[in-house]
Amino acid sequence: MLNRRHIRVKVMQSIFALHQNGSDNLEKEEKFLLHSIDSIQDLYLMMLSSLIEIKKKEIEFLEKSSAKHLATKEERNPNRKFVDNAIFKILEENDSLRLALETRKINTWTLNDDYILLLLKAIKESELYDDYIASKKRSFEEDQQFIVDIFMDIIAANEKLYDYLEDYKLTWVDDIPLVNTQIIKQLKSLKSENDDSFRVSKLYKDTEDKEFVSNLFRKTVLNETELAKEYIDKTPNWDTERIAEVDTIILKMAICEFLKFPSIPVKVTINEYLEVAKEYSTPKSSIFINGILDNLVKEFQNDKKILKTGRGLL
């Protein structure tokens, strides 16, 4: 689920927080970083389980409506197309998802079912729902497209849900798009109503990515003074005290990758941090950072300070 860019962002944010707190407790800050990343799995499971809970709430509504003393014909024999959607069934019966929810004790919606009711109401008031229910055809493809559409356009886009998730855990602000994108990708990959290939996504692609988090954090923080010396004289047109703090952290992290991560290509490092700068710093930051890094790479290569292993890593 996690990509290297998102890992870099989380590390950058942790270093920024460390600076703001004036903390020198490296182990404590690293523990918080790893915990904030681990909690992304909880966010992912919460968003996935919201679909299951929405179906459950609609079933409760249908049962209560049909049991009314003066129930109408429609209430006694409701259209069950929504609750019988094949994607709901796949998720509800999936052992991988059930086990993950139990293991990580994800019961958020049981305690906060008002958000599920809010989402269900928004779905049933949408044109997507009206068109889906009115359609006489039944196919897996239609069921799948409907769930993908309501997840993208109604659930993921719901501002009240977003505010709730942000309040629940502040570190999730930048994780929500990542998680929603992963869920949509998985929903789209299902092939049929009998498809049992769905698996809960791993947080890290491999152990190398997991180790990258701590290595990048520690190597940057423990060498900040030395890393800063590499660019401090390369900014003649910039007052070093006025350079955005996020920019200085990005520069240190990039230089750290140049010098201390032999398996990461120089171009990958530059491109990744330019994208991070565009999203998290000032409008001119990416231009400034690109200029500094380009000059440093040339200097490091001339001085043979960049030692990359593998083919095509420069």
Side-chain angles (χ1 to χ4, degrees), residues 103-120:
T103 302
R104 296 187 73 95
K105 298 180 172 59
I106 305 298
N107 60 353
T108 314
W109 304 127
T110 303
L111 304 173
N112 297 278
D113 66 348
D114 49 329
Y115 286 95
I116 296 300
L117 292 171
L118 181 150
L119 293 173
L120 177 58

Side-chain angles (χ1 to χ4, degrees), residues 146-163:
F146 173 69
I147 296 299
V148 168
D149 287 343
I150 64 167
F151 189 87
M152 286 195 302
D153 298 345
I154 299 175
I155 298 174
N158 189 281
E159 291 185 7
K160 290 184 179 179
L161 177 62
Y162 184 92
D163 290 342

Side-chain angles (χ1 to χ4, degrees), residues 15 25 27 54 68 73 84 90 125 138 155 191 202-203 211 219 221 224 239 243-244 250 272 274 281 292 313:
I15 296 175
N25 190 331
E27 290 187 2
I54 285 169
K68 288 194 303 185
K73 181 180 178 181
D84 289 340
I90 288 173
E125 290 176 350
R138 288 299 304 269
I155 298 174
K191 303 300 182 185
K202 293 180 180 178
L203 185 57
E211 291 169 356
K219 288 181 179 181
V221 173
E224 282 201 81
D239 183 345
I243 298 173
I250 289 173
E272 289 285 89
L274 289 183
S281 197
I292 298 297
L313 289 181

